[in-house]
Amino acid sequence: MKKIIVTGGLGFIGSNLIELLINKNYYVINVDKVTYSSNFYNTREFKKSKKYKFVKCDIKDKKIRKILYQHKPVAIFNLAAETHVDRSIDSPKNFIQSNIVGIFNLLECFREYTKKYNSKLIHISTDEVYGDILSGRSSENYPYKPSSPYAASKAASDHLVYSYVRTFKIPAIVTNCSNNYGPKQHPEKLIPKLIYNILNNKPLPIYGKGTNSREWIYVKDHCEALLKVFYKGKIGEFYNIGSNKNLNNLQVSKELIKISKSVIKIGKKVKILFVKDRPGHDIRYALNSNKIKSKLNWKPRTNFRQGIKLTFNWYLKNKNYYKSLAKKDIIKRLGTK
Ligand SMILES: NC(=O)c1ccc[n+]([C@@H]2O[C@H](COP(=O)([O-])OP(=O)(O)OC[C@H]3O[C@@H](n4cnc5c(N)ncnc54)[C@H](O)[C@@H]3O)[C@@H](O)[C@H]2O)c1
């Protein structure tokens, strides 16, 4: 059975990706540092599978080299990262360590490993590297102009990966995806936070005037795109992955209130509450994903209405998911400096 390493597999996208890879009959080694955003709840369906192994390790550690030679993976999907913009405002250091120093170590180990073995590194990145896109949509050759320490650390990691492709000829591909939503996302992020508040009869905090616009993609569509990139993507290329569907935070909140009302009786305190905006908050991200659609024949399957329903129902059925997280990590406001 072919082996694949997924880093950051206790997190949101990583755990959804592992489920898909196991279903495709790969043996998956999940390498995760176990930070506050990781959650063993996310791997409970497959943690006993014979096709799954968990290794606690920081991607910055030398142990990565040993893991590579021990398992000889045909691919690494790198999802290990600090991911919350607000936290990058309060303490950027962790972002530099995991997202830049971490990928540097991974690249060094991978460079050595691929001199002997065939493999591919798929480095998962974000649309935030392009910065504010006030009109139109950014394609892969759009300049990078990150606005937050988070986005800047991801931009640096993308540049490092590309430089290793050019200089050392390592087999790597970078993907830049838009905002994901779906099961297993940490409630510090907008959609699971709103759902938590709806389920707990609390107001729905919206930054600024709620006009910031994001392109929303259902996490399982993102994971399928990653698989396509692994199978058919061209080494050294960048691929945008998006749904082409933009909604602002206010629209997302209203949609969620509507869906929840159709499923449960919601409390009186569930109302939109405008709160102080995040510093440096980008107005809009929007990707042009024509390249992956035309070259790799991928397109998202789930529209926002379907995806948000599936998402709401998952959190409703999995209330223990919230219990498995520290309460302060769910409700504390961060990044207001
Ligand atoms: N969530 C999104 O909307 C989105 C969109 C585009 C791209 N991305 C990218 O996808 C990747 C995964 O995002 P997510 O939303 O699943 O994040 P997440 O915060 O839910 O999970 C990140 C995981 O990485 C682990 N981790 C952090 N630092 C590590 C380190 N140094 N070594 C090993 N493990 C480490 C954490 O413990 C956690 O389990 C990130 O690289 C992120 O930048 C996310």
Side-chain angles (χ1 to χ4, degrees):
M1 197 179 296
K2 287 185 177 156
K3 293 184 174 182
I4 288 182
I5 290 180
V6 173
T7 70
L10 289 178
F12 167 44
I13 304 171
S15 57
N16 278 287
L17 178 65
I18 293 176
E19 196 178 326
L20 175 67
L21 293 171
I22 290 177
N23 287 338
K24 297 281 174 194
N25 219 18
Y26 288 101
Y27 181 97
V28 181
I29 303 107
N30 175 7
V31 175
D32 197 296
K33 180 183 170 183
V34 193
T35 71
Y36 81 92
S37 80
S38 65
N39 196 332
F40 284 97
Y41 193 94
N42 291 351
T43 55
R44 76 197 190 296
E45 292 118 323
F46 50 77
K47 74 169 190 219
K48 291 196 176 127
S49 164
K50 289 197 175 82
K51 294 187 257 173
Y52 175 72
K53 183 179 174 63
F54 172 69
V55 182
K56 184 176 175 184
C57 178
D58 188 323
I59 55 164
K60 245 173 16 149
D61 284 359
K62 286 201 188 97
K63 192 174 154 192
I64 292 289
R65 183 179 178 278
K66 203 174 136 208
I67 298 170
L68 277 172
Y69 284 95
Q70 184 187 346
H71 293 287
K72 303 186 183 56
V74 293
I76 305 179
F77 287 88
N78 179 41
L79 295 105
E82 289 290 336
T83 60
H84 189 35
V85 175
D86 288 346
R87 285 179 194 268
S88 82
I89 296 167
D90 288 347
S91 40
K93 196 172 174 186
N94 293 341
F95 289 72
I96 308 306
Q97 289 303 323
S98 284
N99 302 2
I100 305 179
V101 183
I103 186 71
F104 167 65
N105 181 54
L106 200 62
L107 285 166
E108 279 294 298
C109 299
F110 189 68
R111 171 157 86 104
E112 190 196 311
Y113 170 73
T114 48
K115 282 181 188 157
K116 219 168 151 199
Y117 298 101
N118 273 335
S119 193
K120 275 184 202 169
L121 171 67
I122 316 294
H123 175 65
I124 285 72
S125 189
T126 163
D127 58 356
E128 302 201 21
V129 296
Y130 300 118
D132 247 339
I133 306 295
L134 296 178
S135 62
R137 311 192 83 84
S138 50
S139 57
E140 288 80 357
N141 45 21
Y142 203 87
Y144 274 27
K145 206 174 184 187
S147 306
S148 68
Y150 161 66
S153 68
K154 293 298 293 183
S157 69
D158 299 0
H159 290 321
L160 264 179
V161 172
Y162 185 65
S163 77
Y164 271 61
V165 173
R166 285 296 301 261
T167 308
F168 303 115
K169 310 253 179 306
I170 65 155
I173 300 173
V174 177
T175 61
N176 297 87
C177 189
S178 65
N179 264 35
N180 285 225
Y181 67 95
K184 306 179 176 180
Q185 186 171 28
H186 193 289
E188 67 186 358
K189 309 281 168 50
L190 182 70
I191 289 179
K193 163 159 271 153
L194 295 178
I195 298 176
Y196 176 83
N197 286 11
I198 291 172
L199 297 177
N200 290 283
N201 190 23
K202 288 176 187 292
L204 310 184
I206 301 297
Y207 291 174
K209 295 195 171 106
T211 48
N212 302 70
S213 171
R214 299 291 181 262
E215 181 178 349
W216 293 98
I217 185 169
Y218 191 55
V219 64
K220 305 216 184 257
D221 284 335
H222 180 194
C223 293
E224 281 181 6
L226 293 176
L227 201 60
K228 271 263 157 96
V229 168
F230 165 50
Y231 288 151
K232 294 168 63 175
K234 205 169 152 197
I235 299 303
E237 296 279 319
F238 286 61
Y239 293 93
N240 283 347
I241 304 171
S243 64
N244 222 35
K245 174 78 180 166
N246 270 67
L247 289 171
N248 70 33
N249 292 349
L250 205 52
Q251 290 170 314
V252 169
S253 317
K254 286 183 177 164
E255 196 64 41
L256 264 175
I257 294 176
K258 205 159 92 192
I259 282 164
S260 54
K261 274 186 178 163
S262 71
V263 183
I264 55 165
K265 191 171 174 340
I266 63 170
K268 287 205 174 73
K269 290 187 188 152
V270 178
K271 285 195 180 101
I272 287 162
L273 173 72
F274 294 105
V275 298
K276 191 178 168 202
D277 207 354
R278 160 195 289 165
H281 201 177
D282 283 330
I283 306 285
R284 179 175 179 266
Y285 303 128
L287 291 173
N288 174 330
S289 304
N290 289 344
K291 179 174 168 181
I292 188 167
K293 285 181 185 155
S294 65
K295 303 271 184 212
L296 306 190
N297 198 22
W298 168 87
K299 64 174 191 310
R301 294 172 199 245
T302 322
N303 69 35
F304 188 76
R305 198 143 278 166
Q306 296 164 325
I308 200 73
K309 254 192 200 156
L310 291 169
T311 304
F312 182 79
N313 286 332
W314 187 86
Y315 289 94
L316 183 65
K317 281 200 197 106
N318 289 272
K319 286 191 186 133
N320 283 341
Y321 171 74
Y322 290 113
K323 287 189 188 140
S324 65
L325 294 154
K327 203 163 181 185
K328 71 169 177 23
D329 283 339
I330 304 178
I331 55 176
K332 198 172 167 214
R333 174 76 203 265
L334 301 164
T336 48
K337 275 174 191 162

